[in-house]
Amino acid sequence: ARKMMALDFAAALAVGACTAGAAAMIKMHLDSGVAQFIAWLVYIVAGIAAARFIRSRVAGSGRPGKTRVVVVGCGLPGRSMGCTHLEQLLTEHELTSRCEVVCVVEPFFMDPAHADAADRSGFTTFRARVQAEHPQVAFVRGIEDIPKAPEPRSGPCLAVVSLRTIDAPRAVADLIDGRARTGISHILLEKPAAPDAVSCRQIREKAQEAKVPVYVGYNKNLAPYARMAMEHVRSMHLPPEIELIHHNDFTDATLAECFTRCAEGALKNMACHELALAVCCFGLTHNLVLAAGCVEGGLTEDPSFTRRERHAGHTDFRSLRLSICLEGLPGQRAPDPSARPSRARPPVRSITITADRCGGDWSGIRVAPSHGSSRSLVTDAAGAKEALFKMPLDSERPGIAECLRERPEMRMYFATQYGDYIVLKALALDHAAATWPEAPTGANEVPWPEGLASIDDAVEVLTIAEYLEPWLCKRVPVANGSGVLFKHLPLHRGLTHA
C-alpha cells in the first residue's frame, strides 16, 4: 500500500509539473493579457486536476485513506452497544485515524412518534452534542435515508450494525440492496448476527452474492486472555482439555430483565461468545458436535451446575456446563509430536462450555494438560501446567475503573471489554481498506485477520447452539423461578419491554 501511495503521488506531481510547464511556456512567449489569463487558468486547472487525482487515489482506492462509517442502531446513550461503538469511532485515536463517521441510523428515537422517549432517555441531548462536535455526522431514521456517497469511487464504507438481533437480517439485506447509492462495501454485524441459523445463512448467501465481506462482533476472540491461552495451548505436547468460562453479574432481582432482553437464550446470546472461541480458535464445527452426540460420552452435562429457571414469562438457563469430547472424532486432527507449534488452530481433546449469569463479571479459559487417554491436572510430557487465563487481566483493572468513572451509566461488561471493541473495529477497518474495491487474489490475496469472526463463523456458532440447546433442555428440568412479570423494564436499544 505504501508503494502504491508513493507511485500515486509521483504520478500526480508529474501531471501537475507537465501542465504547469506548458503554462509557463505560454506565458514566456505571449505577453498579452489574454495569454496571461489563459496561463493562470491552466495553473488553476492543473492544481485542481492534481488535487483530485491525489484524492481519488488516496481516499478513493481505500488503501491509505480513511474509511467512511455508517452506524446502524445507536440506542440508549451510555448503555447500549451501538452507542458504545459510535463513541469509540468518534473519540478513540486508533479508530479516528482510520475512519470518519458520516451517518447514524436510529429507527426508534429518530421516529417523531417517540420524541418524548428520546428526550427522557437523553438521546436528544446526546445527538445535539455529537452533531455540535462532529458536524459531518447525519442522524437519520432509516437505512433508506442514509446520504448518498459523495462520488462513485469515494473509498470503502463500513456499516456497523447494532440493532436488535431479530432485526439484523432485514437490515443487512437493505444495506446490501442500497449499496450502489450509499457506497457501503463492508458490514460489521453485532453478535450473534441473527436470531437463528437459517436467517444467518440467508445473510451469508446475500453477502456472498453481492461480494460484501461481513465481520461479526465476537470481541473475546481478540481479547488478551484468549491470545495468551492460545499461545499456551500451542506450546503443549499433547492436545489439552479446554474450559471456556463466562460469568455475568446479574442477581435474582435482575434475572427477569436479563431473560426478557436476551430472549434468544443463554447459548445464543451469552455463551455464544464461548462457542465463537471454540469455533474460531480451537476448530470446533457443528459436524464435530454432531459426531460427539452420536458417541456415548461424547456430550455430557454437569447436572449439579446446570440450572433452568423461569422469569418474566421466559424460560432459560441461569447457569450451564456441558462438555464436548473431540478425541478420536472424524475431522479431529491427530497431533504430531515432532511438529513445531504453529499459528494454526491447535487440536484439543475436549471443550467445556461454562456460563453463569450470576457468577460475577469475569470470563476465563482453563487449559488442563493430558497424558494420552488419561487426564493430568499437573503437567504434560513437555512440562506444560494447568493454567487459568482470566478476563479482565489485573493490568486492565485500572483502565476499567477509569472507564466507569468517566461513564458511570455504562454496563460493567462494556467497560471490561472496552479495549477489545476498539481492536475489533480497527481490524475490520484495516481489512475493509485493504480489500476495496475488491479483494485481491493470488499472490496478493489479503489474509483474513486472525481472530476476527466472519459470517461463516457465526453460522457455525448458531448451528451448534441450536443443536445443543434442545439436547441440554431434555436433560435439565425447569426449576422454580421468580415467575414475576415486569410491567416496566428498562429501555434497551430503543425498546420498552413489557
Side-chain angles (χ1 to χ4, degrees):
R2 286 193 294 269
K3 289 180 181 178
M4 290 301 300
M5 185 178 179
L7 289 173
D8 291 345
F9 271 103
L13 290 174
V15 170
C18 291
T19 312
M25 290 179 64
I26 294 173
K27 188 177 178 183
M28 287 174 59
H29 291 85
L30 299 172
D31 273 340
S32 69
V34 174
Q36 297 226 0
F37 172 78
I38 293 174
W40 280 110
L41 186 61
V42 171
Y43 274 124
I44 294 171
V45 170
I48 293 174
R52 285 184 64 84
F53 188 83
I54 293 171
R55 181 173 174 233
S56 68
R57 297 300 292 167
V58 175
S61 69
R63 296 186 190 102
K66 287 190 175 184
T67 298
R68 295 181 303 118
V69 173
V70 174
V71 177
V72 182
C74 176
L76 279 174
R79 291 186 62 81
S80 70
M81 188 71 257
C83 183
T84 302
H85 283 313
L86 176 60
E87 289 197 293
Q88 288 186 335
L89 288 162
L90 291 173
T91 60
E92 298 294 337
H93 174 71
E94 294 91 334
L95 302 177
T96 58
S97 61
R98 290 172 163 89
C99 72
E100 180 181 51
V101 179
V102 295
C103 182
V104 177
V105 179
E106 174 44 50
F108 185 84
F109 289 127
M110 290 299 293
D111 186 344
H114 301 143
D116 289 343
D119 293 339
R120 291 196 311 272
S121 66
F123 176 81
T124 302
T125 303
F126 171 78
R127 173 192 171 193
R129 176 174 64 82
V130 169
Q131 291 190 303
E133 297 174 357
H134 308 275
Q136 83 281 0
V137 180
F139 278 76
V140 299
R141 178 181 174 185
I143 290 173
E144 67 278 6
D145 303 318
I146 296 174
K148 184 179 179 181
E151 57 185 66
R153 292 182 58 82
S154 54
C157 181
L158 175 69
V160 179
V161 181
S162 187
L163 296 165
R164 295 186 309 168
T165 302
I166 196 171
D167 296 328
R170 180 72 263 170
V172 172
D174 291 343
L175 288 167
I176 291 175
D177 289 341
R179 70 189 186 283
R181 183 181 64 83
T182 62
I184 288 172
S185 56
H186 299 70
I187 296 174
L188 170 57
L189 190 55
E190 191 51 55
K191 64 87 186 170
D196 52 63
V198 172
S199 54
C200 197
R201 291 189 190 97
Q202 291 171 348
I203 291 176
R204 178 173 64 181
E205 292 169 4
K206 183 88 172 177
Q208 287 177 345
E209 182 182 354
K211 297 182 179 180
V212 174
V214 178
Y215 320 103
V216 183
Y218 284 112
N219 55 284
K220 282 187 178 181
N221 295 5
L222 306 165
Y225 86 109
R227 296 198 299 269
M228 293 166 63
M230 285 286 289
E231 291 300 323
H232 185 71
V233 172
R234 288 190 179 106
S235 71
M236 302 182 76
H237 183 69
L238 293 173
E241 298 183 354
I242 304 295
E243 183 180 11
L244 305 172
I245 307 166
H246 185 164
H247 287 181
N248 283 157
D249 59 351
F250 293 100
T251 64
D252 289 337
T254 58
L255 276 179
E257 187 269 343
C258 171
F259 278 29
T260 303
R261 176 164 49 85
C262 305
E264 298 88 2
L267 277 169
K268 287 186 179 179
N269 190 285
M270 179 187 180
C272 64
H273 275 291
E274 282 56 51
L275 291 176
L277 282 167
V279 168
C280 298
C281 299
F282 300 108
L284 186 67
T285 66
H286 70 276
N287 286 330
L288 285 173
V289 176
L290 290 174
C294 296
V295 177
E296 185 177 356
L299 290 179
T300 56
E301 83 283 1
D302 183 348
S304 65
F305 185 85
T306 305
R307 183 179 176 88
R308 288 174 72 206
E309 294 182 354
R310 186 169 179 82
H311 296 274
H314 296 273
T315 302
D316 197 3
F317 290 96
R318 176 194 182 105
S319 58
L320 64 90
R321 178 178 290 134
L322 60 89
S323 297
I324 307 164
C325 181
L326 302 176
E327 190 172 31
L329 293 180
Q332 176 71 352
R333 291 185 294 112
D336 180 2
S338 64
R340 297 179 62 184
S342 68
R343 304 304 301 178
R345 296 168 178 169
V348 295
R349 183 171 177 238
S350 68
I351 296 175
T352 297
I353 306 294
T354 298
D356 186 350
R357 294 192 184 277
C358 303
D361 187 57
W362 67 278
S363 297
I365 300 178
R366 190 187 308 277
V367 182
S370 59
H371 290 295
S373 60
S374 63
R375 176 175 174 175
S376 167
L377 297 182
V378 181
T379 182
D380 75 350
K385 297 181 179 180
E386 179 181 9
L388 174 62
F389 303 90
K390 295 180 68 174
M391 180 184 77
L393 304 177
D394 290 340
S395 59
E396 295 175 316
R397 293 188 182 279
I400 294 170
E402 181 182 356
C403 186
L404 288 172
R405 279 195 301 271
E406 295 175 353
R407 306 167 181 84
E409 72 284 356
M410 177 176 281
R411 298 180 186 274
M412 180 65 183
Y413 58 86
F414 284 168
T416 301
Q417 302 172 59
Y418 194 82
D420 304 332
Y421 295 135
I422 296 174
V423 173
L424 173 75
K425 289 189 285 289
L427 283 176
L429 288 166
D430 286 346
H431 188 262
T435 56
W436 191 90
E438 60 183 27
T441 58
N444 297 321
E445 183 175 357
V446 178
W448 191 270
E450 183 180 7
L452 184 61
S454 68
I455 192 64
D456 290 328
D457 298 322
V459 169
E460 285 287 344
V461 168
L462 288 172
T463 304
I464 293 170
E466 289 180 358
Y467 177 81
L468 292 176
E469 183 172 15
W471 178 89
L472 197 56
C473 287
K474 289 179 181 178
R475 289 157 175 78
V476 182
V478 179
N480 292 331
S482 67
V484 177
L485 288 175
F486 279 67
K487 291 184 178 180
H488 299 289
L489 292 174
L491 280 170
H492 177 72
R493 295 184 184 175
L495 295 173
T496 303
H497 298 286

